[in-house]
Amino acid sequence: MLRHALRLAALAGALTAAAPASAEAVLRIAMTAADTPTTTGLPNNGFEGMRFLGYPVFEGLVLWDLTRTDRLAGLRPGLAESWEQAPGDTKTWIFHLRRGVTFHDGTPFDADAVIWNLDRYFKPDSPQHEPAAAGITRARAPIVAGYRKIDDATVAITTTVAASYFPYMAVYVLFTSPASFEKAGRDWAKVGTLPAAGTGPFRITRVTPREAVDLARNDGYWDAERRAKVDRVRLLPIPEANARIAALRAGQVDWIEAPAPDAIPSLKQAGFAITTGSYPHVWPWFYNSGATNSPLKDVRVRQALNYCIDRDGLVAFLNGTAEPSVGWLKASDPNFGNPQNRYKLDPQKGKALLEAAGYTAKAPLALKAMISTSGSGQMQPLPMNEFLQESLKQNCNVDVSFNVVEWQVLLNAARAAPDAPQLQGANTLNVSSPSSDPSVMARYFSSANVSPKGFNFAQFKDDAFDRAMAMLAESTDPAEIAAATRAAHERLVDDPPWLFIVHDLNPRAMSPRVKGFVSPQSWFVDLTLVSLQEGATR
């Protein structure tokens, strides 16, 4: 409690010090991150970083459509007005850039700026190469092979393989003004505090590491119909769930991510709005199957663990803010398929599989899990993992120990090789994952994307899965793509690279002052839709 009190005192000081002089509409958001995400144009801290310091400030050629709640978020034109595969060459995509767009610093967004940023991510010997941002981007778009300027308003990007889903990867490649890099003396560490210039509906006005990042509405935003309604946004890292709740109750913030489930009834009773909604999110343990002598090399062990956990009990523990996960996709998804394994709590089957793999009551399976204290999509990782620890022990006599680290440390570990020292011998990593589209499926599970090259931390290699993904990537027929997706997903269930645990229902708590918020079926949100009603009280 003392740590929470000290954190809130620091928060109050930050709010007071940064309060604007005029009566501006300032939306104050408490993130789960332990630190402010990086502000050079490609933020760290996972998709929470992208949610608040990615898309609101820096944009991609392709953007998410975050205006609907009735279906998975799709794509819309962003800094490119349109795109298509080159005639006769399915590995090359042509992007037609939006004309007349400028960065926040007034410099033009054009093909030269696109190539400059692509060099920043994909050309290690370029003067502007940014290793941290490059590592994140290359993991999210691992099939970029080359790119070139066609003219001032057209660029071509070539991929290593034909990929019908490449626009879903392009959405994660964000663009920063080259002038920001020059202004900072070609030092990315200084770019982050300039602040850096993007093209988005908000611009960064101040960065105070560990305390806050301030944004202001970009009144010159290129899409006049999507200009923000609030004057300013203040983003505050508050990793402890109880501290976020205390800040909301005290009126120090207007919006908190991931409220503690046991506090939701009292927050509702006090007049705060609680939003939840289905979105493409799975909360698993990544198996470290590739490590030397890993017990998880045996598919029977990987399947057994999926029969040994009480998902329904965990959902009840979370006050209904999640639903059981028995695959990468939700069981209700039409692309879930018809796998042979239908995971549920079945200790008898789990124990039989473990015994067949050599793990008995006298020689039980022992696992070391690396988990975080908080983070993007991590829900309530400490109590949830303690629940799983007890569930695995009671149901199947599996011993689990934890290595607890900060979220960014865990994310970095997920991109490491299986025996990397930074894993400290971890057999599993608890890293929340999007499940939004086939490009993400390829990124996490294709054998071509094993870590440290890509995000396939489990070193998953299943020939039937790879064949299905190749068919999906090469086809433009929706029926063929759906059939291939189902076939690929069936392999993820029957040859599980992960322990599938729950799907998050994305809870947030907000002051009644917050109006216009849309909870899309996405990891991201559209802050331009949000307004503040003055005078509203709890």
Side-chain angles (χ1 to χ4, degrees), residues 84 139 309 411 428:
E84 73 275 348
I309 59 171
L411 270 184
T428 69

Side-chain angles (χ1 to χ4, degrees), residues 39-318:
T39 52
T40 60
L42 200 291
N44 64 3
N45 275 281
F47 275 5
E48 186 174 55
M50 293 289 282
R51 183 183 306 137
F52 294 124
L53 276 166
Y55 296 121
V57 182
F58 307 94
E59 298 178 302
L61 300 175
V62 184
L63 295 176
W64 294 104
D65 181 356
L66 303 173
T67 60
R68 302 185 59 153
T69 61
D70 59 342
R71 64 187 184 191
L72 283 177
L75 301 180
R76 66 180 177 89
L79 294 176
E81 293 182 322
S82 62
W83 53 87
E84 73 275 348
Q85 287 173 298
D89 181 3
T90 56
K91 294 182 181 180
T92 298
W93 290 79
I94 307 299
F95 290 88
H96 304 279
L97 306 184
R98 192 175 298 277
R99 297 176 184 270
V101 176
T102 60
F103 289 101
H104 299 146
D105 58 15
T107 59
F109 170 81
D110 54 21
D112 290 331
V114 171
I115 299 301
W116 187 93
N117 275 275
L118 293 176
D119 281 349
R120 163 193 177 190
Y121 299 130
F122 297 105
K123 188 177 180 183
D125 61 350
S126 66
Q128 67 268 32
H129 183 64
E130 185 185 5
I136 297 170
T137 302
R138 291 174 71 95
R140 291 173 179 165
I143 61 174
V144 172
Y147 39 86
R148 61 187 174 87
K149 173 182 174 180
I150 296 176
D151 58 41
D152 286 346
T154 317
V155 296
I157 299 178
T158 302
T159 56
T160 56
V161 295
S164 59
Y165 48 73
F166 180 67
Y168 283 94
M169 290 185 171
V171 77
Y172 299 116
V173 181
L174 305 187
F175 295 91
T176 303
S177 168
S180 295
F181 184 65
E182 297 297 331
K183 185 177 179 181
R186 298 192 166 198
D187 182 343
W188 281 112
K190 294 179 180 177
V191 171
T193 58
L194 276 176
T199 60
F202 291 91
R203 55 185 176 84
I204 301 172
T205 58
R206 182 164 66 173
V207 179
T208 309
R210 293 277 175 179
E211 290 188 11
V213 176
D214 291 294
L215 312 180
R217 180 177 58 234
N218 174 15
D219 290 325
Y221 185 49
W222 56 265
D223 188 346
E225 295 183 358
R226 303 180 70 88
R227 287 177 185 160
K229 295 177 175 60
V230 297
D231 298 303
R232 296 181 181 273
V233 176
R234 182 164 301 127
L235 303 168
L236 300 121
I238 307 180
E240 300 91 353
N242 289 332
R244 291 195 296 275
I245 290 169
L248 182 66
R249 288 186 181 277
Q252 294 176 320
V253 297
D254 308 295
W255 162 336
I256 65 173
E257 297 284 284
D262 59 359
I264 287 176
S266 64
L267 287 171
K268 287 182 177 178
Q269 188 174 20
F272 293 101
I274 306 295
T275 70
T276 59
S278 174
Y279 77 121
H281 174 283
V282 58
W283 194 90
W285 282 2
F286 292 5
Y287 290 147
N288 189 357
S289 306
T292 303
N293 300 321
S294 172
L296 298 166
K297 291 182 184 294
D298 192 323
V299 67
R300 294 170 296 186
V301 175
R302 302 198 303 272
Q303 291 175 341
L305 295 174
N306 273 291
Y307 285 110
C308 289
I309 59 171
D310 183 4
R311 297 172 178 85
D312 291 333
L314 182 56
V315 167
F317 175 75
L318 293 170

